[in-house]
């Protein structure tokens, strides 16, 4: 997918905390990079990024004791945490659905046009192609039966997943997002997607088995206890011979999590959470016979993409 000026600006802001220094630099990056991932790789290889405060902060944090992050809670508390997420994303899905997926001011509801929507949906291609890239580096080819996408949003990645899999189950906690996802994909002629609203813990437990689990920039909006519950329940739904590709932060600067503090603070509407690999993380995956893929040549673990 071509790299637009907006993508270049967004990468600069996220990785260098500034905008490109001149229109010429902006144009050069947009013309030179073949994808957003290639642009990011260029930026993080720069001396400026290596000297940045972000890297210094990471180095400093890694030398500190592990933060206190509550993960194990009672079922009653788990329901309370889930209900809070449901309320927040119901509001976001109704008021600013596109921006809630990619927090770029250009995607605000007030600025949305058909052209902007099409540009937004086109950004999902790179995200879906991560599956192929990780398969290639692990020299493994997984099945293309039914894909369960957690956090389909408005269909940004769903559209491209529908081209890779025989069937996609597009799940989201926001009724507004689900409705927009269905509308967007139907306008594109997609017929192999099933839509699923997941607002309760029981919804995750009643999902039918599938071949592949996919989820990026979604789990991080759930508290650590909810993330653990979701991963544990979705992992066991993967059929033998299937796989998964999911992402969630293992670390955020100065992040900690207390259930009591969280439930007594004002709802922010948009939250970010990290979940350290709890002590039995791999135990949970092994429980469902899921093991990390390894690169054949160097036997290097490929994070978060696993065959069952």
């Amino acid at each position: 997918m071509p790299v637009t000026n907006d993508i270049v600006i967004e990468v600069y802001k996220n990785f260098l905390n500034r905008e490109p220094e001149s229109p010429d630099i902006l144009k050069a990056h947009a013309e030179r990079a073949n994808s957003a991932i290639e642009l990011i790789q260029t930026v993080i290889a720069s001396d400026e990024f290596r000297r940045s405060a972000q890297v210094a902060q990471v180095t400093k944090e890694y030398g500190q004791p592990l933060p206190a992050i509550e993960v194990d809670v009672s079922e009653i508390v788990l329901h309370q945490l889930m209900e809070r997420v449901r309320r927040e994303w119901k509001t976001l899905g109704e008021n600013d659905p596109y921006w809630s997926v990619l927090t770029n001011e250009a995607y605000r509801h007030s600025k949305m046009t058909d052209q902007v929507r099409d540009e937004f949906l086109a950004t999902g291609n790179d995200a879906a192609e991560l599956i192929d890239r990780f398969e290639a580096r692990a020299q493994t080819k997984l099945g293309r039966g039914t894909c369960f996408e957690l956090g389909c949003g408005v269909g940004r990645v769903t559209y491209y997943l529908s081209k890779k899999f025989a069937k996609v189950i597009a799940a989201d906690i926001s009724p507004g997002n689900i409705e927009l996802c269905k509308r967007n994909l139907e306008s594109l002629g997609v017929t192999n997607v099933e839509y699923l609203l997941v607002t309760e813990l029981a919804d995750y437990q009643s999902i039918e088995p599938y071949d592949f689990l996919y989820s990026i920039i979604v789990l991080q909006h759930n508290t650590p206890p909810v993330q653990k519950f979701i991963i544990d329940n979705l992992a066991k739904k993967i059929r033998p011979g299937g796989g998964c590709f999911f992402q969630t932060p293992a670390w955020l600067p100065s992040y900690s999590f207390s259930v009591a503090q969280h439930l007594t603070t004002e709802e922010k509407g948009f939250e970010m959470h990290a979940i350290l690999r709890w002590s039995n993380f791999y135990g949970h995956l092994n429980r469902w016979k899921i093991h990390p893929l390894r690169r054949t040549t160097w036997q290097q673990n490929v994070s978060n993409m696993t065959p069952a």
Side-chain angles (χ1 to χ4, degrees), residues 124-175:
N125 186 43
D126 275 354
E129 284 190 352
L130 288 171
I131 296 173
D132 304 281
R133 291 172 185 155
F134 273 71
E135 282 183 333
R137 84 185 257 193
Q139 299 184 22
T140 299
K141 191 69 176 176
L142 299 175
R144 290 290 190 267
T146 298
C147 173
F148 183 89
E149 181 192 11
L150 175 66
C152 64
V154 299
R156 184 180 74 97
V157 184
T158 319
Y159 173 66
Y160 296 97
L161 292 177
S162 73
K163 295 175 177 293
K164 297 181 181 296
F165 293 89
K167 176 182 176 181
V168 177
I169 301 172
D172 204 279
I173 197 171
S174 166

Side-chain angles (χ1 to χ4, degrees), residues 184-205:
N184 286 333
L185 296 190
E186 286 181 349
S187 72
L188 293 169
V190 176
T191 59
N192 63 331
V193 175
E194 177 183 314
Y195 306 92
L196 179 66
L197 185 64
V198 284
T199 59
E200 305 287 342
L201 300 178
D203 294 335
Y204 289 95
Q205 296 167 324

Side-chain angles (χ1 to χ4, degrees), residues 96-102 107 112 117 120-121 154 180 184:
D96 233 337
Y98 292 90
W99 177 86
S100 70
V101 176
L102 292 180
Y107 301 140
M112 189 55 56
R117 183 205 64 174
F120 171 91
L121 294 176
V154 299
L180 267 177
N184 286 333

Side-chain angles (χ1 to χ4, degrees), residues 61-250:
E61 294 277 348
Y62 277 168
Q64 301 302 314
L66 289 176
I69 298 180
E70 278 191 78
V71 175
D72 297 307
V73 299
S74 68
E75 186 173 346
I76 293 176
V77 171
L78 201 56
H79 277 284
Q80 292 175 323
L81 295 172
M82 186 73 174
E83 174 60 18
R84 175 164 171 153
V85 178
R86 186 198 66 78
R87 289 194 302 267
E88 292 173 343
W89 281 89
K90 180 178 184 296
T91 300
L92 285 167
E94 292 172 349
N95 298 335
D96 233 337
Y98 292 90
W99 177 86
S100 70
V101 176
L102 292 180
T103 53
N104 184 321
E105 290 302 307
Y107 301 140
R108 286 289 189 182
H109 180 69
S110 59
K111 299 179 180 179
M112 189 55 56
T113 64
D114 288 345
Q115 180 181 345
V116 172
R117 183 205 64 174
D118 292 344
E119 292 173 356
F120 171 91
L121 294 176
T123 66
N125 186 43
D126 275 354
E129 284 190 352
L130 288 171
I131 296 173
D132 304 281
R133 291 172 185 155
F134 273 71
E135 282 183 333
R137 84 185 257 193
Q139 299 184 22
T140 299
K141 191 69 176 176
L142 299 175
R144 290 290 190 267
T146 298
C147 173
F148 183 89
E149 181 192 11
L150 175 66
C152 64
V154 299
R156 184 180 74 97
V157 184
T158 319
Y159 173 66
Y160 296 97
L161 292 177
S162 73
K163 295 175 177 293
K164 297 181 181 296
F165 293 89
K167 176 182 176 181
V168 177
I169 301 172
D172 204 279
I173 197 171
S174 166
N177 281 354
I178 285 283
E179 183 57 36
L180 267 177
C181 180
K182 184 177 181 180
R183 192 187 312 166
N184 286 333
L185 296 190
E186 286 181 349
S187 72
L188 293 169
V190 176
T191 59
N192 63 331
V193 175
E194 177 183 314
Y195 306 92
L196 179 66
L197 185 64
V198 284
T199 59
E200 305 287 342
L201 300 178
D203 294 335
Y204 289 95
Q205 296 167 324
S206 62
I207 293 169
E208 293 296 318
Y210 42 77
D211 302 294
F212 197 88
L213 166 64
Y214 180 93
S215 184
I216 62 168
I217 60 172
V218 174
L219 286 163
Q220 61 204 37
H221 299 305
N222 296 273
T223 58
V226 174
Q227 287 192 45
K228 178 183 177 182
F229 172 85
I230 291 173
I231 294 171
D232 196 21
N233 277 273
L234 293 186
K236 67 182 178 182
K237 301 291 184 176
I238 302 171
R239 294 189 182 107
C244 59
F245 187 101
F246 65 87
Q247 163 273 331
T248 188

